[in-house]
Amino acid sequence: MTDQRPAILALSVADLEAWLVANDAGAYRRKQLWGWLARGAASFEEMHDIPKPLRAALAQEFRITSLRSVANTEADRGLTSKTLYELDGGHSVEAVVMRYADRSTLCISSQAGCPIGCPFCATGKFPFGRNLKAHEIVEQGTDAVRLLAGEGRRLSHVVFMGMGEPMANYQAVLDSVRRITDPELLGISPRRIVISTSGLIPRIEQLGAEKLPVTLAISLHAARDELRDVLVPINRKYPLEDLIKASQGYAETSGRRVSYEWVLLAGVNDTERDAKELGRLLRRKLAHVNLIPFNPVEDTPYRAPDRTSIRRFKEMVEGQGLNVTVRDTRGRDADAACGQLHERVKRELSAAGRAPVKVP
Ligand code: SAH
Ligand code: SF4
């Protein structure tokens, strides 16, 4: 049976403080408790500067997290790790931690499944489940903090590039960003947060008006409508010209360069024609192009280009006068592209005829 206790982070500041006061504790205990969550506490029990009876009352009333880790994979000799979480109600999502010399990045999910349905994406292939609540997004952060703290590392960057379209779950994503950046909770600078979107124009405009200096990433993948209509189906509603206008509007109000993502699909969007079209679209704009070699997904017609064609495409885009980098293929063997661990675990478990098991 599912645990009926609310997750502690599901409570607003006011509700948690009211609960504390009603339980004969000072409202200031809320900050103390959040401090523990921000350091990755795994239980109320370990919060030793909170009186024991209060810790017991908290544990009786609330869960420290609503996420249940059901599978883990590692790649890059442990530098990349991925966790599959089961949510209340049974849907599941993934989060990936990537460790570098100077930072640790968490790739976070905002929806179970995705309603956009890009044909090259593992997440887009299974039916949409549900939107995550803000606390379910933040809990992926507190869980990563705990994991990294055990290794003497700190979480420094968060990218909304896991499962789901963040702009299709706007309010919860925004609320979670406020908590992730809150100095009383995770305290991560908005400049170290990337929100990646397939291009929901009204939400891009709304985000600009929030005046949060988060980095916006646009999943472009094609620079002509005819091809983008297929690769990113939301393009039929929000076509390229309008999308570039909205994202450049964001760049101007935030003063931050927009990152344009381009998943490289062999023979589909890695030709000279594509590089020229991209050049025409983004030249002299506040833009950076991120080339992502395709991480193969089963039952799709797409292939990853080889190294030579990746290099050639990069040079052609540079030749157009654009800033461009090739994203490293972190976690290829950890099923790190969004939705892939979910797919594999589901496949393996159904082959074994059993329900997910808890992995420590
Ligand atoms: N829904 C949002 C954010 C999640 S996807 C979006 O689409 O922007 C994060 C990035 O991973 C997107 O740029 C997406 O196009 C890319 N991606 C999806 N599947 C991929 C795959 N199999 N290989 C490489 N990149 C992929
Ligand atoms: Fe959704 Fe992004 Fe995957 Fe497209 S690439 S299906 S928008 S998660």
Side-chain angles (χ1 to χ4, degrees):
M1 215 185 83
T2 53
D3 195 331
Q4 301 293 322
R5 292 172 302 166
I8 191 77
L9 283 169
L11 272 73
S12 66
V13 168
D15 287 349
L16 179 51
E17 292 187 349
W19 183 90
L20 287 163
V21 171
N23 284 270
D24 302 324
Y28 73 95
R29 295 279 182 201
R30 196 266 314 158
K31 269 194 203 173
Q32 225 174 346
L33 204 155
W34 271 25
W36 280 102
L37 297 174
R39 293 192 295 277
S43 70
F44 294 105
E45 193 47 44
E46 71 194 69
M47 302 179 178
H48 55 72
D49 53 2
I50 292 179
K52 214 171 168 137
L54 182 57
R55 279 185 262 159
L58 282 162
Q60 201 170 3
E61 201 79 18
F62 305 109
R63 279 177 292 167
I64 202 105
T65 176
S66 67
L67 304 179
R68 286 172 296 283
S69 157
V70 289
N72 295 92
T73 51
E74 279 191 1
D76 310 315
R77 283 169 276 111
L79 292 177
T80 304
S81 59
K82 180 161 190 163
T83 308
L84 180 70
Y85 296 104
E86 193 189 9
L87 308 173
D88 286 346
H91 291 295
S92 48
V93 294
E94 306 167 355
V96 185
V97 174
M98 290 161 283
R99 298 152 182 88
Y100 301 88
D102 57 340
R103 67 201 153 97
S104 299
T105 301
L106 171 67
C107 178
I108 221 165
S109 291
S110 57
Q111 298 183 309
C114 180
I116 308 294
C118 306
F120 56 85
C121 171
T123 305
K125 285 185 9 175
F126 47 86
F128 176 64
R130 71 163 169 87
N131 280 333
L132 263 62
K133 300 192 174 115
H135 72 88
E136 293 171 321
I137 301 173
V138 181
E139 285 164 357
Q140 295 170 58
T142 50
D143 204 53
V145 167
R146 175 164 47 250
L147 182 70
L148 289 166
E151 305 163 10
R153 284 177 169 268
R154 278 170 54 93
L155 177 63
S156 58
H157 292 69
V158 173
V159 297
F160 282 80
M161 292 191 179
M163 294 166 75
E165 168 48 59
M167 296 295 196
N169 184 15
Y170 186 83
Q171 198 51 50
V173 165
L174 193 71
D175 291 347
S176 73
V177 169
R178 293 202 195 284
R179 287 210 165 174
I180 291 167
T181 55
D182 190 334
E184 290 181 359
L185 204 58
L186 295 188
I188 292 171
S189 156
R191 295 173 194 284
R192 294 176 166 192
I193 296 179
V194 180
I195 297 188
S196 178
T197 179
S198 56
L200 277 69
I201 291 176
R203 299 287 89 79
I204 293 170
E205 291 167 347
Q206 200 175 344
L207 186 68
E210 312 279 355
K211 302 267 189 281
L212 270 174
V214 295
T215 299
L216 180 69
I218 302 285
S219 291
L220 202 59
H221 311 325
R224 61 177 182 279
D225 282 315
E226 170 207 357
L227 178 58
R228 196 166 189 272
D229 281 351
V230 175
L231 295 181
V232 190
I234 195 84
N235 193 70
R236 292 175 211 152
K237 189 163 178 193
Y238 300 120
L240 275 167
E241 200 187 318
D242 300 341
L243 176 60
I244 301 300
K245 233 182 257 160
S247 52
Q248 286 304 305
Y250 185 88
E252 277 151 33
T253 45
S254 67
R256 301 187 61 71
R257 220 161 51 156
V258 171
S259 177
Y260 291 91
E261 313 287 300
W262 191 279
V263 56
L264 277 167
L265 308 168
V268 174
N269 65 355
D270 65 347
T271 66
E272 190 175 357
R273 174 186 179 188
D274 296 288
K276 283 187 175 155
E277 286 169 349
L278 186 54
R280 267 199 297 279
L281 203 62
L282 296 183
R283 202 170 297 129
R284 286 183 289 281
K285 301 266 184 349
L286 270 170
H288 184 92
V289 177
N290 232 321
L291 302 178
I292 318 169
F294 175 56
N295 201 348
V297 177
E298 265 181 43
D299 305 325
T300 67
Y302 302 108
R303 282 179 305 110
D306 57 32
R307 265 197 222 165
T308 319
S309 32
I310 294 172
R311 202 188 53 235
R312 206 176 333 116
F313 190 71
K314 178 176 186 259
E315 286 165 3
M316 288 191 288
V317 177
E318 275 168 344
Q320 295 293 317
L322 306 186
N323 291 308
V324 52
T325 43
V326 178
R327 165 110 45 93
D328 69 358
T329 46
R330 267 302 179 95
R332 199 171 269 264
D333 43 328
D335 307 292
C338 45
Q340 295 189 355
L341 176 60
H342 178 281
E343 279 286 86
R344 184 161 65 81
V345 169
K346 222 174 46 183
R347 235 181 0 252
E348 286 174 5
L349 291 174
S350 68
R354 63 191 167 88
V357 285
K358 195 172 167 74
V359 178

